[in-house]
Amino acid sequence: MDAVRQNLDLRVHDRVALDESELYAEMLSAVAAAERPLTVAEIDMVLGVRSAEAGRRALMTQD
């Protein structure tokens, strides 16, 4: 088992996991800043799956 630990490179990262963690952090920040639950359009905007303009339009129609 020690040979495995010696050959283990701790600098290796799981890029997908790091990307998911970043998205999760962005969502947490958006939720913390919101005064109400986020709409689907707002969540899409935070995650980047919708254009910012479409998200802004959705926000304006709800106010």
Side-chain angles (χ1 to χ4, degrees):
M1 200 61 130
D2 286 334
V4 172
R5 287 187 184 144
Q6 288 175 354
N7 293 325
L8 182 62
D9 186 356
L10 297 177
R11 296 173 297 164
V12 174
H13 297 287
D14 182 340
R15 190 73 227 156
V16 173
L18 291 173
D19 289 344
E20 288 177 3
S21 294
E22 185 178 336
L23 287 174
Y24 187 68
E26 289 175 19
M27 279 303 305
L28 288 177
S29 295
V31 168
E35 296 178 4
R36 58 178 167 62
L38 297 177
T39 65
V40 172
E42 291 168 322
I43 292 170
D44 286 350
M45 188 172 64
V46 170
L47 296 177
V49 295
R50 230 182 188 189
S51 72
E53 183 59 35
R56 279 193 288 278
R57 280 196 305 267
L59 286 171
M60 292 173 61
T61 59
Q62 292 183 355
D63 291 337

